[in-house]
């Protein structure tokens, strides 16, 4: 009986306001048995309707720094004056169970994960243009005008590092975006470098034919 194949670690990033969180929620609704969304820890305050342990693990600065000290995070970063990080234990458990684990994190954290785990698949989501991004940020109504412009300024810096990702996803409609993300991930499972065990087994099995068996 074949052993369950280990899942792929996927990082999904995007400009604030690009709709990446909505895309991820829809992906998990459509394919609940294939994906697990890693829940990040953060020191930012919860937004309306957010719950601790669902959208994020909400931590104080002191609690977060204790997690750093205990090496309990895959990565962490400071973003617009708040810490964000990925708890290690949950991610490893899901990968071993054969699920593809998605980390929804910003660029600093994404590139740290790629450094530590080179097989990580990096996906970056963006709207079609900067004006749509601004409209979406204002339309959320969750931040002051000052914070909106902070996020747009941050996006300008983030754009300089998009080339370091594996795939670019244009979020025009949620439905199309979800289908595209799912297709990219499933194709990634067929990449030769991820199937070395299978290839080695086939080589061994085929040897008997070259010996005339």
């Amino acid at each position: 009986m074949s052993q369950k194949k280990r899942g792929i670690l996927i990082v999904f990033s995007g400009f604030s306001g690009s709709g990446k969180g909505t895309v991820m929620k829809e992906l998990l609704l459509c394919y609940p048995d294939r994906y697990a969304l890693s829940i990040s820890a953060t020191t930012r305050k919860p937004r309306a309707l957010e719950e601790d342990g669902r959208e994020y693990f909400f931590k104080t600065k002191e609690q977060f720094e204790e997690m750093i000290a205990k090496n309990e995070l895959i990565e962490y970063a400071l973003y617009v004056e708040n810490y964000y990080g990925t708890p290690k234990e949950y991610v490893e458990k899901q990968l071993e169970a054969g699920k593809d684990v998605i980390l929804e994190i910003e660029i600093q954290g994404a590139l740290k994960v790629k450094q530590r785990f080179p097989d990580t698949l990096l996906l970056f989501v963006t709207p079609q243009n900067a004006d749509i991004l601004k409209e979406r940020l204002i339309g959320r109504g969750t931040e002051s005008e000052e914070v909106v412009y902070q996020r747009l300024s941050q996006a300008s810096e983030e754009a300089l590092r998009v080339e370091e990702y594996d795939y670019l996803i244009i979020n025009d409609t949620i439905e199309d975006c979800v289908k595209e993300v799912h297709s990219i991930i499933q194709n990634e499972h067929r990449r030769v470098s991820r199937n070395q065990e299978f290839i080695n087994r086939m080589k061994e099995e085929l040897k008997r034919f070259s010996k005339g068996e």
Side-chain angles (χ1 to χ4, degrees):
M1 187 171 155
S2 64
Q3 195 177 17
K4 196 166 185 70
K5 193 172 179 183
R6 183 177 167 88
I8 294 174
L9 186 60
I10 302 146
V11 170
F12 198 71
S13 304
F15 304 124
S16 181
S18 62
K20 60 186 180 297
T22 305
V23 172
M24 288 301 93
K25 283 176 186 172
E26 194 63 28
L27 187 71
L28 267 78
L29 280 173
C30 293
Y31 310 100
D33 297 330
R34 299 195 184 190
Y35 301 112
L37 181 62
S38 175
I39 301 170
S40 295
T42 184
T43 57
R44 82 155 169 76
K45 301 295 182 194
R47 294 188 186 126
L49 304 179
E50 288 185 334
E51 290 182 17
D52 183 53
R54 189 178 67 187
E55 281 79 16
Y56 287 94
F57 296 114
F58 293 101
K59 304 289 183 184
T60 64
K61 186 181 177 188
E62 291 74 22
Q63 288 172 327
F64 198 101
E65 288 176 346
E66 187 177 346
M67 292 178 78
I68 295 171
K70 290 181 176 177
N71 196 29
E72 294 175 354
L73 300 165
I74 288 177
E75 57 74 37
Y76 68 92
L78 195 62
Y79 177 78
V80 191
E81 299 180 3
N82 283 302
Y83 280 121
Y84 292 81
T86 303
K88 192 186 293 180
E89 186 180 0
Y90 173 83
V91 170
E92 190 57 38
K93 194 179 293 183
Q94 295 298 319
L95 288 172
E96 285 299 324
K99 282 199 172 186
D100 296 328
V101 179
I102 299 168
L103 312 185
E104 186 195 321
I105 54 179
E106 44 59 59
I107 289 182
Q108 288 180 63
L111 298 178
K112 284 181 188 175
V113 172
K114 186 78 168 180
Q115 273 186 336
R116 289 185 65 184
F117 307 99
D119 281 349
T120 302
L121 178 64
L122 300 186
L123 309 179
F124 193 90
V125 66
T126 176
Q128 288 182 316
N129 60 56
D131 287 335
I132 292 174
L133 183 66
K134 182 181 175 183
E135 285 170 20
R136 288 181 183 175
L137 280 170
I138 293 169
R140 283 201 308 207
T142 54
E143 285 115 0
S144 66
E145 186 178 350
E146 182 186 354
V147 172
V148 166
Y149 279 95
Q150 275 185 341
R151 293 191 182 279
L152 288 170
S153 175
Q154 184 76 26
S156 179
E157 292 178 26
E158 289 171 339
L160 301 174
R161 307 201 71 180
V162 172
E163 287 92 342
E164 296 179 64
Y165 279 67
D166 298 308
Y167 291 91
L168 182 70
I169 314 291
I170 308 296
N171 183 13
D172 189 10
T173 70
I174 295 296
E175 184 181 335
D176 289 344
C177 193
V178 168
K179 285 179 183 174
E180 185 177 2
V181 170
H182 178 66
S183 177
I184 287 168
I185 296 167
Q186 295 314 304
N187 287 338
E188 189 68 17
H189 276 281
R190 301 273 65 85
R191 188 183 286 273
V192 167
S193 61
R194 295 187 188 276
N195 288 275
Q196 200 58 54
E197 189 178 330
F198 176 88
I199 292 165
N200 290 342
R201 178 171 57 79
M202 282 295 290
K203 284 178 182 176
E204 286 302 312
E205 290 175 357
L206 289 166
K207 276 181 183 177
R208 70 178 188 268
F209 295 115
S210 64
K211 294 173 182 175
E213 293 178 14

